Amino acid sequence: MNKKIVTIDGPAGAGKTSVSYALSKRLGWIYVDTGALYRGVAFEIKRAGINWQKENELRALLDDMELDFMMEKGCPVLISSGEDISGKIRTADIAMLASSVSAMPVVREALLSIQRSLALKNNAVFEGRDMGTIVFPGADFKFFLFADLKIRALRRYREMKNENHDLEKVEHDMEKRDKNDSLRECAPLKPAIDAVMIDSTYMTLNEVVEKIFDIVNARL
Ligand code: DC
């Protein structure tokens, strides 16, 4: 029997990660954070010191790369060729580089089969930017989660409270990343035409999870 897929797309800071993970627990399905894969590519580019704008250098790096995503004891784990790099991909620098390199078709192509293969064996909740449009156009349930920029920036700033960031910079970076992600030619951030739109600006995490759960559960 075909496995079921929920896709949750949207801009940075809209709450996709918390919502998708909580929803996956509620449904008993697996959760896949596809942003982690793009961050993994960015991390390996930085570590190798290649010029990612040169397609031959980028392609050679991608050919050698083996990325895998899983959850372990409730924590997201990203493995790159056997090494756990989860603790190294959650920085502002890596987020920005991930956004830049994710515009390269060769990168998106390399990650497409990894993402689709993760959906073969389990019912899953996938979060990202192009889950409902490109990676899983036939997904059973599609959602697009968004919120006002100021609220998204504040949420992200609070998550980063142990690091040395100021709110204005967080907001500025977020706006820049949204623009990069939405304006790129290849698989831009946008809602699928059949996605349910959810504005989380004035909603709590639980309210969003319950809303999505009710829609999914009613049609299972
Ligand atoms: O979800 P995130 O913030 O961890 O994602 C980091 C970057 O990766 C994001 O700015 C754009 C890119 N990305 C993408 O292009 N497509 C996806 N499905 C997920 C992330």
Side-chain angles (χ1 to χ4, degrees):
M1 202 177 76
N2 268 352
K3 297 298 171 192
K4 300 261 183 225
I5 296 176
V6 172
T7 61
I8 303 191
D9 290 307
K16 294 188 305 291
T17 299
S18 315
V19 167
S20 305
Y21 180 59
L23 179 74
S24 74
K25 296 291 275 183
R26 190 99 157 71
L27 290 165
W29 296 6
I30 66 160
Y31 156 67
V32 183
D33 168 10
T34 61
L37 299 170
Y38 286 91
R39 285 170 184 259
V41 171
F43 175 77
E44 292 300 358
I45 285 173
K46 201 170 169 198
R47 172 151 74 180
I50 64 155
N51 178 354
W52 58 268
Q53 273 145 330
K54 289 197 175 152
E55 199 177 309
N56 58 335
E57 289 193 30
L58 187 53
R59 200 178 281 278
L61 185 91
L62 290 166
D63 284 349
D64 275 352
M65 200 178 287
E66 254 180 61
L67 289 176
D68 197 11
F69 175 86
M70 68 211 66
M71 292 300 286
E72 268 178 22
K73 296 183 185 139
C75 295
V77 176
L78 185 70
I79 304 290
S80 176
S81 302
E83 181 189 346
D84 182 349
I85 57 167
S86 324
K88 299 172 179 161
I89 59 169
R90 302 275 160 208
T91 67
D93 275 10
I94 293 292
M96 198 57 84
L97 184 57
S99 176
S100 302
V101 301
S102 69
M104 303 292 280
V106 64
V107 171
R108 305 206 73 83
E109 202 179 293
L111 295 185
L112 196 60
S113 55
I114 301 179
Q115 296 170 84
R116 288 190 177 150
S117 68
L118 287 167
L120 293 178
K121 292 195 192 131
N122 300 284
N123 293 336
V125 178
F126 278 82
E127 75 151 282
R129 303 292 189 287
D130 61 338
M131 297 297 100
T133 50
I134 305 290
V135 182
F136 301 112
D140 305 271
F141 307 95
K142 299 181 186 179
F143 298 90
F144 192 87
L145 195 56
F146 63 102
D148 285 355
L149 174 65
K150 287 216 177 297
I151 292 284
R152 291 189 285 118
L154 189 62
R155 287 178 187 159
R156 184 54 51 88
Y157 174 72
R158 287 184 178 146
E159 281 166 15
M160 295 165 130
K161 61 184 177 299
N162 296 329
E163 298 166 45
N164 208 8
H165 290 290
D166 69 83
L167 180 56
E168 242 170 68
K169 172 147 181 11
V170 173
E171 187 179 321
H172 174 265
D173 283 0
M174 200 169 250
E175 196 174 16
K176 185 165 173 214
R177 208 142 71 83
D178 287 351
K179 266 197 196 131
N180 280 347
D181 296 346
S182 310
L183 297 179
R184 67 179 176 230
E185 257 171 56
C186 186
L189 163 67
K190 67 169 182 194
I193 42 167
D194 48 350
V196 175
M197 304 292 289
I198 298 182
D199 180 351
S200 76
T201 307
Y202 302 109
M203 292 173 82
T204 64
L205 165 66
N206 268 350
E207 285 169 343
V208 179
V209 174
E210 286 312 304
K211 181 170 174 145
I212 297 182
F213 177 80
D214 287 346
I215 293 172
V216 173
N217 199 36
R219 281 178 37 211
L220 278 181

Short mmCIF file of all heavy atoms in Angstrom, two decimals, residues 1 10 28 30 55 67 71 87 96 98 106 117 143 147 175 178 213 215 218:
data_model
loop_
_atom_site.label_atom_id
_atom_site.label_comp_id
_atom_site.label_asym_id
_atom_site.label_seq_id
_atom_site.Cartn_x
_atom_site.Cartn_y
_atom_site.Cartn_z
N MET A 1 0.84 -1.20 0.00
CA MET A 1 0.00 0.00 0.00
C MET A 1 0.88 1.25 0.00
O MET A 1 1.90 1.27 0.68
CB MET A 1 -0.89 0.01 1.25
CG MET A 1 -2.11 0.86 1.10
SD MET A 1 -3.18 0.79 2.56
CE MET A 1 -2.30 1.81 3.72
N GLY A 10 6.76 26.52 3.91
CA GLY A 10 6.59 27.88 4.40
C GLY A 10 7.93 28.55 4.65
O GLY A 10 8.98 27.90 4.58
N GLY A 28 2.01 9.34 14.71
CA GLY A 28 2.85 8.14 14.77
C GLY A 28 3.59 7.90 13.46
O GLY A 28 3.90 6.77 13.08
N ILE A 30 6.83 9.19 10.60
CA ILE A 30 8.17 9.75 10.71
C ILE A 30 8.15 11.24 10.30
O ILE A 30 7.21 11.70 9.64
CB ILE A 30 9.25 8.99 9.89
CG1 ILE A 30 9.00 9.10 8.39
CG2 ILE A 30 9.37 7.54 10.34
CD1 ILE A 30 10.23 8.80 7.55
N GLU A 55 29.96 25.07 -11.28
CA GLU A 55 29.14 23.85 -11.24
C GLU A 55 29.96 22.57 -11.18
O GLU A 55 29.57 21.61 -10.52
CB GLU A 55 28.19 23.82 -12.44
CG GLU A 55 27.07 22.84 -12.17
CD GLU A 55 26.03 22.77 -13.27
OE1 GLU A 55 25.53 23.83 -13.67
OE2 GLU A 55 25.73 21.65 -13.70
N LEU A 67 24.26 11.91 2.40
CA LEU A 67 23.53 12.51 3.52
C LEU A 67 22.36 11.63 3.93
O LEU A 67 21.71 11.01 3.08
CB LEU A 67 22.98 13.89 3.12
CG LEU A 67 23.97 15.03 2.95
CD1 LEU A 67 23.24 16.28 2.46
CD2 LEU A 67 24.72 15.32 4.24
N MET A 71 15.45 10.80 13.09
CA MET A 71 15.22 11.32 14.44
C MET A 71 15.74 10.28 15.41
O MET A 71 15.49 9.09 15.23
CB MET A 71 13.71 11.52 14.68
CG MET A 71 13.08 12.62 13.89
SD MET A 71 13.76 14.26 14.19
CE MET A 71 13.09 14.64 15.80
N GLY A 87 25.14 18.93 15.07
CA GLY A 87 25.47 20.06 15.94
C GLY A 87 26.14 21.20 15.20
O GLY A 87 26.36 22.28 15.77
N MET A 96 22.22 30.87 5.90
CA MET A 96 22.29 31.79 4.76
C MET A 96 22.95 31.10 3.55
O MET A 96 22.49 31.24 2.42
CB MET A 96 23.06 33.05 5.17
CG MET A 96 22.84 34.22 4.24
SD MET A 96 21.10 34.70 4.07
CE MET A 96 20.88 35.74 5.51
N ALA A 98 23.00 27.89 3.00
CA ALA A 98 22.04 26.88 2.53
C ALA A 98 21.03 27.53 1.59
O ALA A 98 20.68 26.97 0.54
CB ALA A 98 21.33 26.22 3.71
N VAL A 106 21.62 21.84 -9.56
CA VAL A 106 22.38 20.61 -9.33
C VAL A 106 22.24 20.14 -7.87
O VAL A 106 22.21 18.94 -7.58
CB VAL A 106 23.86 20.81 -9.78
CG1 VAL A 106 24.57 21.85 -8.95
CG2 VAL A 106 24.64 19.53 -9.75
N SER A 117 13.31 8.92 -1.37
CA SER A 117 13.55 7.57 -0.83
C SER A 117 13.16 7.48 0.64
O SER A 117 12.76 6.43 1.12
CB SER A 117 15.01 7.14 -1.05
OG SER A 117 15.84 7.92 -0.24
N PHE A 143 0.12 21.54 3.36
CA PHE A 143 -0.13 22.75 4.15
C PHE A 143 0.96 23.77 3.84
O PHE A 143 2.10 23.41 3.54
CB PHE A 143 -0.13 22.43 5.65
CG PHE A 143 -1.22 21.46 6.03
CD1 PHE A 143 -0.99 20.09 6.00
CD2 PHE A 143 -2.48 21.93 6.35
CE1 PHE A 143 -2.01 19.19 6.31
CE2 PHE A 143 -3.50 21.04 6.67
CZ PHE A 143 -3.27 19.67 6.64
N ALA A 147 3.52 33.42 8.66
CA ALA A 147 3.22 34.35 9.75
C ALA A 147 3.92 35.67 9.41
O ALA A 147 4.82 35.71 8.56
CB ALA A 147 3.74 33.81 11.08
N GLU A 175 14.41 38.06 6.33
CA GLU A 175 13.79 38.69 5.16
C GLU A 175 14.62 38.39 3.90
O GLU A 175 14.08 38.08 2.84
CB GLU A 175 13.71 40.21 5.40
CG GLU A 175 12.76 40.87 4.44
CD GLU A 175 12.59 42.35 4.78
OE1 GLU A 175 13.41 42.92 5.54
OE2 GLU A 175 11.61 42.93 4.26
N ASP A 178 14.09 34.74 2.95
CA ASP A 178 12.77 34.56 2.33
C ASP A 178 12.81 35.01 0.87
O ASP A 178 12.23 34.36 0.00
CB ASP A 178 11.71 35.43 3.02
CG ASP A 178 11.33 34.89 4.38
OD1 ASP A 178 11.74 33.78 4.72
OD2 ASP A 178 10.60 35.61 5.11
N PHE A 213 -3.88 18.38 12.47
CA PHE A 213 -4.21 17.00 12.83
C PHE A 213 -5.68 16.70 12.49
O PHE A 213 -5.99 15.66 11.92
CB PHE A 213 -3.94 16.75 14.32
CG PHE A 213 -4.33 15.36 14.75
CD1 PHE A 213 -3.49 14.28 14.50
CD2 PHE A 213 -5.54 15.13 15.38
CE1 PHE A 213 -3.86 12.99 14.88
CE2 PHE A 213 -5.91 13.84 15.76
CZ PHE A 213 -5.07 12.77 15.51
N ILE A 215 -7.61 18.05 10.28
CA ILE A 215 -7.84 17.95 8.83
C ILE A 215 -7.34 16.59 8.31
O ILE A 215 -8.00 15.91 7.54
CB ILE A 215 -7.13 19.11 8.09
CG1 ILE A 215 -7.79 20.44 8.45
CG2 ILE A 215 -7.14 18.89 6.59
CD1 ILE A 215 -7.06 21.68 7.95
N ALA A 218 -9.40 13.50 9.75
CA ALA A 218 -10.75 13.36 9.18
C ALA A 218 -10.74 12.63 7.84
O ALA A 218 -11.76 12.09 7.42
CB ALA A 218 -11.37 14.76 9.01
#
